[in-house]
Amino acid sequence: MSQSEYGADTAAPADAHMPDSVAAGALNHAIFRVARLHRMLAGQLLRRVGLHPGQELVMMQLWDRGPQRQTDLVRLLGSDAATMTRTVRRLENAGFVRRFPCATDKRVTIIEPTAASNALRAEVERVWLDLEAGATEGMTPERQAEAVEVLRSIEENLVRATSQQT
């Protein structure tokens, strides 16, 4: 067996034989593999700018929308409060955000980007362009648009299925 079959960071070819139980859910398997590889590449690219996957999404919201309540970041990014608290704390420790209490409601925490993070913005945007290029290499613009539409449809179905489970 190759190292990739044991779950190492290297990837097996997409057409590697799947057990029957996995083949019965081929779309699930494809989504899992794509998500894992996308996150792996994102991590490699973001490491160059001192961020981890997911942190760039917080920074993009802050750069585009300005200071935000932490609860709004949770909602905008579809996160949970505990994960966002950890992410913001790590970004604060790295000097990329500043937290402070809201002037009108001391229970609310406001998060704002720092000058140090603003210097990273162009680099993060370049990372996202590189990630997009890596994911869409060899695809026509039409095929890329089709892929986005299919993924949007899958997302809508999963949102609906998730809400039915609660």
Side-chain angles (χ1 to χ4, degrees):
M1 277 191 156
S2 72
Q3 192 176 17
S4 63
E5 292 176 76
Y6 290 110
D9 283 343
T10 57
D15 63 350
H17 178 72
M18 292 185 283
D20 291 340
S21 59
V22 172
L27 181 64
N28 292 329
H29 190 252
I31 291 169
F32 172 79
R33 289 182 57 80
V34 167
R36 184 180 68 78
L37 290 167
H38 186 270
R39 186 169 179 85
M40 185 187 323
L41 180 57
Q44 291 170 357
L45 296 171
L46 286 166
R47 210 168 301 136
R48 300 187 310 211
V49 297
L51 294 175
H52 297 280
Q55 291 178 334
E56 84 282 13
L57 297 173
V58 172
M59 296 312 309
M60 289 172 166
Q61 288 294 330
L62 295 172
W63 291 326
D64 289 348
R65 297 174 182 259
Q68 296 287 306
R69 297 182 317 164
Q70 188 163 322
T71 56
D72 291 334
L73 289 170
V74 167
R75 181 183 47 78
L76 287 166
L77 296 171
S79 182
D80 61 78
T83 299
M84 186 58 66
T85 297
R86 283 190 305 273
T87 299
V88 167
R89 186 178 317 120
R90 289 175 181 145
L91 288 168
E92 184 179 39
N93 290 341
F96 297 138
V97 300
R98 181 175 87 86
R99 288 189 293 180
F100 58 92
C102 177
T104 59
D105 186 347
K106 298 298 182 196
R107 298 169 297 173
V108 173
T109 301
I110 305 293
I111 314 299
E112 73 177 358
T114 63
S117 79
N118 290 330
L120 284 182
R121 186 174 185 166
E123 293 178 64
V124 169
E125 289 169 354
R126 166 55 53 202
V127 163
W128 265 62
L129 288 172
D130 292 347
L131 184 57
E132 183 98 356
T136 61
E137 184 177 342
M139 293 172 70
T140 65
E142 296 78 19
R143 185 72 188 246
Q144 291 176 38
E146 180 183 335
V148 169
E149 187 55 38
V150 168
L151 290 170
R152 191 172 289 134
S153 178
I154 291 170
E155 179 183 17
E156 289 170 5
N157 291 341
L158 292 172
V159 165
R160 197 170 23 261
T162 301
S163 67
Q164 292 172 358
Q165 296 301 312
T166 57

